[in-house]
Amino acid sequence: MQPLKNIRILDFTRLLPGAYCTLVLSDLGAEVIKIESSEKGDYMRFIPPFLKDGTSAAFAMVNRSKKSVSLDFRNPKDIEKIKKLVSQSDVIVEGFRPGVMKAMGLHYHSLRKIKKNLIYCSLSGYGQEGKLSHLAAHDLNFLCLAGVFTPLSLSLRAERSEAWQSIPQLLPTQLADLCGGSLQAALASVGAIFARSATGKGKYLDISILEG
């Protein structure tokens, strides 16, 4: 059973957190269309190793079954193409820093005029407001700021010296990005879709990885 079979999602995210979020939604049956900048696209496309067809294995892992459209975010004609897609979609997932989508004329209040019951999910490191909201950050920053020190010690290597073992090592996967970001955004999106089926109303979702 695919509960999101008739749901279309526009994915404006790059790299891991947003991509895994929309992958979860895709696995639940949603149609996911990646909106990529024609200038650079999703940076994950350039991460080795590469498959025989030249596709990044990392990119394929979290973007399988998705469609992709390459557009110039600085071109007014392409922005209009995006707005046309919005009118035919149910959910927007974006992972830019606060203010970027607004600068392109693609923020929630603008797109809501096109699609009244639109569900709009903004996934960022520190949320859309507050003194940290404008900062870029990575998984380790979130773990440390949240006080999650115990997981950092799980990857200590027994064969190293005692002094080395006392130094926290990087985790082999992005715990904060996935658990604090991707899954929170996916769950919130599903909840908003469920609520819309009852109320007919859309929703704006502000997902902070640190808070998650």
Side-chain angles (χ1 to χ4, degrees):
M1 178 180 179
Q2 293 187 310
L4 301 185
K5 182 179 180 180
N6 297 316
I7 297 296
R8 171 179 282 180
I9 296 169
L10 298 186
D11 179 358
F12 286 85
T13 68
R14 300 169 178 169
L15 299 174
L16 180 63
Y20 188 70
C21 164
T22 55
L23 176 66
V24 171
L25 300 176
S26 175
D27 285 346
L28 290 173
E31 176 191 15
V32 177
I33 302 176
K34 284 182 66 68
I35 309 297
E36 298 187 60
S37 167
S38 56
E39 183 178 357
K40 295 181 180 179
D42 188 337
Y43 308 142
M44 191 171 277
R45 288 184 179 275
F46 310 109
I47 298 177
F50 299 97
L51 305 176
K52 291 182 179 180
D53 65 356
T55 303
S56 162
F59 178 86
M61 178 178 65
V62 291
N63 289 289
R64 54 178 170 76
S65 76
K66 300 177 187 178
K67 300 175 182 178
S68 181
V69 176
S70 178
L71 295 169
D72 183 355
F73 294 165
R74 299 179 182 179
N75 186 329
K77 291 183 179 180
D78 281 0
I79 293 297
E80 289 305 311
K81 291 178 182 178
I82 292 174
K83 290 181 178 179
K84 184 176 181 179
L85 280 172
V86 170
S87 69
Q88 304 166 352
S89 302
D90 300 282
V91 182
I92 300 287
V93 180
E94 64 93 3
F96 294 111
R97 291 194 203 182
V100 172
M101 290 292 277
K102 183 177 181 179
M104 295 189 289
L106 299 174
H107 58 304
Y108 174 63
H109 294 293
S110 173
L111 299 186
R112 188 184 179 189
K113 297 177 182 177
I114 301 172
K115 181 83 172 183
K116 290 184 179 180
N117 62 351
L118 180 68
I119 294 167
Y120 192 113
C121 179
S122 292
L123 174 59
S124 63
Y126 304 110
Q128 298 301 299
E129 299 178 348
K131 62 181 181 181
L132 299 178
S133 62
H134 67 288
L135 298 177
H138 299 283
D139 193 83
L140 184 60
N141 302 121
F142 307 133
L143 288 174
C144 291
L145 286 172
V148 186
F149 294 108
T150 302
L152 292 177
S153 67
L154 296 179
S155 59
L156 297 181
R157 299 182 179 181
E159 71 274 12
R160 297 300 183 96
S161 67
E162 184 175 340
W164 179 264
Q165 289 182 45
S166 65
I167 302 175
Q169 304 299 302
L170 290 174
L171 289 172
T173 191
Q174 284 79 12
L175 180 65
D177 284 348
L178 296 174
C179 297
S182 306
L183 297 181
Q184 297 286 346
L187 181 58
S189 296
V190 170
I193 293 169
F194 178 77
R196 190 181 68 173
S197 67
T199 66
K201 298 180 179 180
K203 199 173 188 67
Y204 179 74
L205 307 171
D206 179 4
I207 306 298
S208 160
I209 296 177
L210 177 62
E211 290 181 10

